[in-house]
Amino acid sequence: MDNLSNIVNELNSPVAISENKSTFIVATAVKDHLTCLFVRDIFQAILVIEIEKVKRTGIDLCLLMIDLDDFKKVNDNHWHIAGDEVLRQIGKTLLSHIREMDVAARYGGEELAIIMPETSIETAANVAERLRSKIELLQFDWGSVTVSIGVSHADRDVNSAEKLIKAADEAFYAAKEAGKNRVVYTQS
């Protein structure tokens, strides 16, 4: 700070913050406070990096897009505090059932995503099915929830973050159309 404020004259009134506050600021900038999953911006940045690895090395990469079925009804019938608890518990479930190398994120309101490096489409579909069944078993005071999961795989045609997300989105919409509470994956 001395260099920036006295020599370069870039800072007018510098203020040092404690390491605890600094850690808090960084954590809240990268993690969603409700789900404890990464925020969308971090997800996007990591996905781009993983896609570049696929292009360089040809290793497998899968993406899971998870959408809560009828989540609006949860908020409408049981209030937003119930919806928050659902998201909190699902975030905890995801984090406890994925590998450390996988990246789980809150993509949107009730949409979640998991980047799965070095994972075949079959393995990713199996993980998605295991997550779907674990979430279905969660019990709340008022009942339970289900999710629809779309799984996509990076390959020669699906070679950008946008294409991978689009393929996973299309798969989870197919899961919704097929009756919800299921996993659909793209065929390469």
Side-chain angles (χ1 to χ4, degrees):
M1 274 197 300
D2 183 53
N3 184 44
L4 289 174
S5 60
N6 295 326
I7 298 168
V8 181
N9 210 17
E10 288 289 319
L11 295 176
N12 295 331
S13 302
V15 176
I17 62 172
S18 73
E19 189 173 333
N20 289 344
K21 286 183 182 175
S22 174
T23 302
F24 170 78
I25 290 167
V26 170
T28 56
V30 298
K31 297 271 180 125
D32 174 66
H33 76 282
L34 196 57
T35 62
C36 296
L37 305 178
F38 285 105
V39 296
R40 185 173 177 160
D41 287 346
I42 300 300
F43 161 82
Q44 292 283 118
I46 292 171
L47 186 57
V48 167
I49 291 167
E50 292 299 331
I51 289 284
E52 290 304 314
K53 283 183 192 173
V54 169
K55 289 178 184 177
R56 272 193 331 274
T57 66
I59 61 170
D60 285 320
L61 173 66
C62 286
L63 175 65
L64 277 58
M65 293 297 284
I66 304 164
D67 189 69
L68 277 77
D69 297 326
D70 304 313
F71 189 65
K72 183 176 177 349
K73 288 181 185 176
V74 172
N75 284 333
D76 290 349
N77 297 333
H78 307 288
W79 308 101
H80 287 275
I81 195 162
D84 287 353
E85 184 58 23
V86 167
L87 290 169
R88 191 175 294 108
Q89 290 303 318
I90 289 176
K92 186 188 288 187
T93 299
L94 296 181
L95 290 173
S96 65
H97 289 91
I98 61 172
R99 304 170 301 179
E100 191 169 305
M101 68 191 293
D102 298 333
V103 177
R106 186 169 183 189
Y107 190 75
E110 72 269 7
E111 291 180 1
L112 310 170
I114 302 173
I115 301 168
M116 300 184 74
E118 300 178 28
T119 307
S120 70
I121 190 74
E122 295 82 12
T123 300
N126 289 335
V127 169
E129 180 56 34
R130 190 169 57 248
L131 291 171
R132 186 207 58 76
S133 64
K134 293 283 184 192
I135 291 167
E136 185 179 31
L137 293 174
L138 293 174
Q139 289 297 310
F140 303 94
D141 293 340
W142 45 267
S144 61
V145 296
T146 61
V147 294
S148 296
I149 305 176
V151 184
S152 62
H153 181 260
D155 60 23
R156 199 172 295 120
D157 297 323
V158 180
N159 57 8
S160 70
E162 295 78 20
K163 288 180 180 178
L164 192 62
I165 292 167
K166 184 176 188 274
D169 269 348
E170 289 172 354
F172 98 64
Y173 280 115
K176 296 270 189 199
E177 290 173 9
K180 301 176 184 171
N181 191 26
R182 63 191 68 226
V183 173
V184 171
Y185 61 97
T186 57
Q187 302 290 333
S188 297

